[in-house]
Amino acid sequence: MQTKRRATLKLVGGGLLAAMAGGMAAVYASYARDMAAARARVQASRRMIETACGPVEYGESGAGAPVLVIHGAAGGFDQGLTIGEAGLGTGYRLIAPSRFGYLGAPVPAQASVAAQAEVYACLLDALGIDQVAVIGFSAGGPSALQFALQYPQRTTRLAMLAAISMRPPLTAEEERTESAINRMVGSDFVYWAAIRAAPSKVLALLGVKKPVQRAMAAEERAIIYRVLEEMLPMSPRLPGIAVDQAFEMPAVSLSQITCPVLVIHARDDTLVTIDYGLHTARSIPGAQWVPFETGGHFLGGHYRELQGLVSRFLEGEVVAGTLDGESGSRTHEE
């Protein structure tokens, strides 16, 4: 009887191990398939052009007036194109470079915000574009602002969408969030597993609360999930994340920006809080200010309104008033 019991336990144990091995094999096969598709997508849509600053990676879509779209953290040219399409719709020529350390963009010895702005100018030179409107999203904000400062004659208009504009010390909560994000994006597999198992939790960590997610229309939710998907593969974006986390704002006053500026930010953005938008609007004379009550970091639930505001602004209209009587809880001395 004892021998028979041991044989039964071995059989059950062997079956469980086989099932576990089969499950792990299936997970790995799914991961490998998704990663191959992600790499193929990036390779198919990326463009490389030789410039006075060296080779520059970028993406391009649409036709019409040129708009330089500067992507956020964990992005690349692909995220830039998606954000540009979400914020503008059709009717423009979107040009989205990969910032330092993202995808095929190298990290130079001096990966400063000013150096990044110079690369944008070199890209425009190579494309034969003299003047351009600029959209800065999230961590793309500093170099978008710097481009407007360094090249005022080339910047027709600047729209700052949920964008960074200062470098205050991180709060304890921001440090915890940054640490959690770093763990999540630390490898291709970990990030892939996170967005497959719990995409809503990933979005919440990236500044879009779950109530905002639930309130979004299906087409808007699809755009934001596309942004999450396009962060794959994550590994070639990690050097860029490191650059973003170590950047320094140039010691130049934003008050020197002379082009028309539109600042749009959501009050419930928990990743890049509204204080950043307030700082931008307060620092740039005449900046137009549009606060959304909800929407989170990706301005969810407002894409139709957003497209109308940004496109009309780029066409030369005044679409909003200036900041009046509203102040942020955090400031940065320029």
Side-chain angles (χ1 to χ4, degrees), residues 210-284:
K210 290 185 179 181
V212 174
Q213 298 178 42
R214 290 191 292 268
M216 286 189 294
E219 59 269 24
E220 295 202 350
R221 191 178 299 108
I223 291 171
I224 294 180
Y225 274 51
R226 175 181 164 189
V227 172
L228 290 186
E229 191 72 26
E230 286 178 344
M231 291 182 192
L232 289 171
M234 181 59 72
S235 52
R237 306 174 201 265
L238 295 179
I241 293 174
V243 171
D244 282 343
Q245 292 180 351
F247 90 97
E248 296 293 336
M249 288 295 294
V252 180
S253 174
L254 298 184
S255 64
Q256 296 180 28
I257 291 178
T258 56
C259 70
V261 175
L262 173 65
V263 183
I264 301 179
H265 222 106
R267 296 188 190 279
D268 63 348
D269 185 343
T270 58
L271 186 65
V272 178
T273 64
I274 197 170
D275 294 315
Y276 291 85
L278 290 167
H279 174 259
T280 309
R282 186 172 57 244
S283 301
I284 301 174

Side-chain angles (χ1 to χ4, degrees), residues 133-157:
V134 181
I135 293 177
F137 169 68
S138 191
S143 56
L145 291 166
Q146 187 63 27
F147 182 84
L149 284 164
Q150 285 181 216
Y151 304 97
Q153 73 283 5
R154 305 191 72 165
T155 311
T156 59
R157 289 181 169 254

Side-chain angles (χ1 to χ4, degrees), residues 9-23:
L9 289 173
K10 285 183 179 179
L11 183 61
V12 172
L16 288 173
L17 288 173
M20 290 173 61

Side-chain angles (χ1 to χ4, degrees), residues 28 84 112-113 142 149 161 168 175 178 181 227 229 243 256 261 274 321 324:
Y28 181 78
S112 67
V113 173
L149 284 164
L161 308 182
E175 288 182 349
E178 182 176 286
I181 291 174
V227 172
E229 191 72 26
V243 171
Q256 296 180 28
V261 175
I274 197 170
D324 182 23

